[in-house]
Amino acid sequence: RTLVAGAWALLLARNSDRDEVTFGLVRSGRRGVPGGAAMIGPFATALPLRVVLRRDDHAAEWLAAVHAAQEVTGAHEQVAPADVRRWSGVPAGRPVFE
């Protein structure tokens, strides 16, 4: 999961010529739900993951930072999409993720 997120961040950063990218990370939404692993139905949610790329970082350090950011994001996977939109500051009518 961390390698895929890191590869995606690198691809986005290189194609957008930016050193900081934010993209939607799909989480299962079952963590923290009592009995969630045994429940049937969609629990998926998309949360923003912010990744900063610094040229002087070593790959292992950078991937550790990506992993840490994923863990922080995962702690919020029970949040309603409407709350994510409100917290993002993205104006109504514009997509949170493009």
Side-chain angles (χ1 to χ4, degrees):
R1 176 178 84 173
T2 300
L3 288 174
V4 171
W8 186 244
L10 283 172
L11 182 68
L12 290 174
R14 288 192 176 149
N15 283 318
S16 65
D17 196 29
R18 296 175 184 257
D19 59 357
E20 179 181 322
V21 294
T22 303
F23 55 92
L25 178 69
V26 177
R27 300 298 300 240
S28 72
R30 295 179 189 272
R31 182 165 57 175
V33 174
M39 293 180 185
I40 297 174
F43 280 76
T45 188
L47 297 170
L49 179 66
R50 178 178 167 257
V51 178
V52 177
L53 294 98
R54 294 184 185 92
R55 296 195 188 279
D56 57 342
D57 281 351
H58 293 286
E61 295 170 348
W62 180 72
L63 285 172
V66 171
H67 180 74
Q70 286 179 308
E71 291 301 309
V72 169
T73 299
H76 302 287
E77 65 186 28
Q78 300 300 322
V79 172
D83 291 334
V84 172
R85 170 175 284 290
R86 187 169 35 86
W87 297 338
S88 73
V90 174
R94 292 198 55 215
V96 175
F97 302 107
E98 292 186 49

